[in-house]
Amino acid sequence: MARLTAINPEVATGKTKELFNAIQGKLGVVPNMMRTMANSPAFLESYLHLSGALAGGTLGAKTGELIALAVSESNACDYCLSAHTYIGANLVKIKPEVIEAARLGNASDVKTDGVLKLAKALVSKKGLLTDSEVEAAKEAGLTEGEIGEVVGHVALNILTNYFNNTAQTEIDFPVVNAHQLETV
């Protein structure tokens, strides 16, 4: 059961209504996470700005989804795993085995694997990476700008994971549970 209330878009007013209209126009729906974030329009707007800025980065949508899957698995966020599994499979067209590998922090492509290893290390070490971990990301082909974007994506996903785990947001995607991988 949700701990925080999801605001009904039909009764939203003011800044919340403006944000919901923009989300509805872009996605065709206002997901429960955003409806719940809207209890603080400033929080929802901040999330949308950071998410939008990172979407325009050099890593691309597929890599962003793979990072989201790796971080969400690490933080046991079923809402985000469900959302990003759905988005990855249906909108970005990521194969199921690639989604599963990403949750574990693995990829067959050297650069993507470096991205996911970096993301998992950032989460597990709370950002306190060693010189060799940063060097490994560079050796995998990441530029310094891309390393910065990975940090940004990890931070964005920690934000949403912690929010959804706190709120116990009602999952409005096909449910995917953390720590229930076939390969684990």
Side-chain angles (χ1 to χ4, degrees), residues 158-176:
I158 288 173
L159 173 78
T160 59
N161 293 172
Y162 285 14
F163 177 76
N164 287 306
N165 285 343
T166 298
Q168 291 187 347
T169 308
E170 182 180 334
I171 300 172
D172 48 354
F173 296 91
V175 175
V176 176

Side-chain angles (χ1 to χ4, degrees), residues 132-152:
S132 62
E133 287 167 319
V134 174
E135 190 56 37
K138 290 179 180 180
E139 288 174 7
L142 278 79
T143 66
E144 291 185 5
E146 289 169 328
I147 290 170
E149 283 187 33
V150 171
V151 173

Side-chain angles (χ1 to χ4, degrees), residues 90-103:
N90 295 292
L91 303 179
V92 185
K93 305 298 183 194
I94 302 171
K95 294 178 181 175
E97 62 272 15
V98 174
I99 288 172
E100 189 167 306
R103 290 175 61 186

Side-chain angles (χ1 to χ4, degrees), residues 32-160:
N32 282 340
M33 179 187 80
M34 295 176 202
R35 291 176 53 208
T36 307
M37 284 180 167
N39 283 292
S40 167
F43 180 53
L44 176 57
E45 186 173 34
S46 297
Y47 160 75
L48 292 171
H49 283 304
L50 180 56
S51 178
L54 287 170
T58 60
L59 291 177
K62 179 179 179 182
T63 301
E65 290 304 318
L66 296 175
I67 293 169
L69 289 159
V71 173
S72 298
E73 181 68 33
S74 293
N75 290 319
C77 181
D78 292 345
Y79 185 94
C80 291
L81 275 174
S82 300
H84 292 289
T85 298
Y86 179 84
I87 292 165
N90 295 292
L91 303 179
V92 185
K93 305 298 183 194
I94 302 171
K95 294 178 181 175
E97 62 272 15
V98 174
I99 288 172
E100 189 167 306
R103 290 175 61 186
L104 296 170
N106 300 316
S108 59
D109 172 75
V110 172
K111 185 172 182 178
T112 305
D113 192 64
V115 165
L116 297 178
K117 297 286 187 275
L118 179 62
K120 285 285 204 179
L122 284 163
V123 173
S124 69
K125 295 182 151 201
K126 298 176 177 43
L128 300 172
L129 301 180
T130 63
D131 291 345
S132 62
E133 287 167 319
V134 174
E135 190 56 37
K138 290 179 180 180
E139 288 174 7
L142 278 79
T143 66
E144 291 185 5
E146 289 169 328
I147 290 170
E149 283 187 33
V150 171
V151 173
H153 278 281
V154 168
L156 174 67
N157 285 285
I158 288 173
L159 173 78
T160 59

